[in-house]
Amino acid sequence: VQLQASGGGLVQAGGSLRLSCAASTVLFKVDTRAWYRQAPGEQRALVASITSGGKTNYADSVKGRFTISRDIAKNTLYLQMNSLKREDTAVYYCNQKGYSDPWTSRDDWGQGTQVTVSS
């Protein structure tokens, strides 16, 4: 399974970006899809996640500003980021956890896309 993340870039504070993450393969079962981010010198941290049932979860720092969604038909995950702040600057990674068959679990990562927010 390959996850291809895109949509990052340079944006001014207060602006918006939409990240996309396209999966190359449809899994037998997807449990959770998520976005993580890693700023320089910091550990990778969860930004937002969505379960197969559509339940979402957000880091406190992005609640009310970011929205995670997915298009099942396109096998694509999205992250709409509004009201961006300088502290949102990081490399953003998409993640997918599930099963390729009833017995084989998977935990796949995209390559990362850089988001830089300028003041």
Side-chain angles (χ1 to χ4, degrees):
V1 177
Q2 289 187 334
L3 302 180
Q4 183 68 43
S6 61
L10 175 64
V11 63
Q12 287 190 330
S16 298
L17 282 175
R18 188 195 195 202
L19 305 184
S20 299
C21 176
S24 63
T25 305
V26 176
L27 291 183
F28 170 76
K29 181 177 181 289
V30 175
D31 288 333
T32 306
R33 292 179 169 139
W35 289 97
Y36 288 75
R37 68 186 181 187
Q38 186 168 19
E42 296 184 10
Q43 290 188 333
R44 192 173 297 187
L46 178 68
V47 175
S49 64
I50 185 167
T51 68
S52 58
K55 182 178 180 181
T56 58
N57 180 55
Y58 296 93
D60 288 342
S61 60
V62 306
K63 282 181 181 176
R65 300 188 297 122
F66 291 11
T67 302
I68 189 170
S69 63
R70 87 277 201 201
D71 187 324
I72 295 174
K74 294 182 178 179
N75 210 17
T76 301
L77 179 70
Y78 302 101
L79 185 68
Q80 179 67 44
M81 304 185 294
N82 299 328
S83 303
L84 282 161
K85 304 176 181 180
R86 286 192 65 183
E87 50 264 43
D88 295 318
T89 295
V91 178
Y92 284 70
Y93 298 89
C94 54
N95 173 263
Q96 178 174 268
K97 293 180 174 63
Y99 290 81
S100 56
D101 59 54
W103 311 277
T104 307
S105 63
R106 296 197 63 92
D107 186 357
D108 295 300
W109 291 88
Q111 84 284 9
T113 184
Q114 176 71 47
V115 172
T116 303
V117 184
S118 64
S119 59

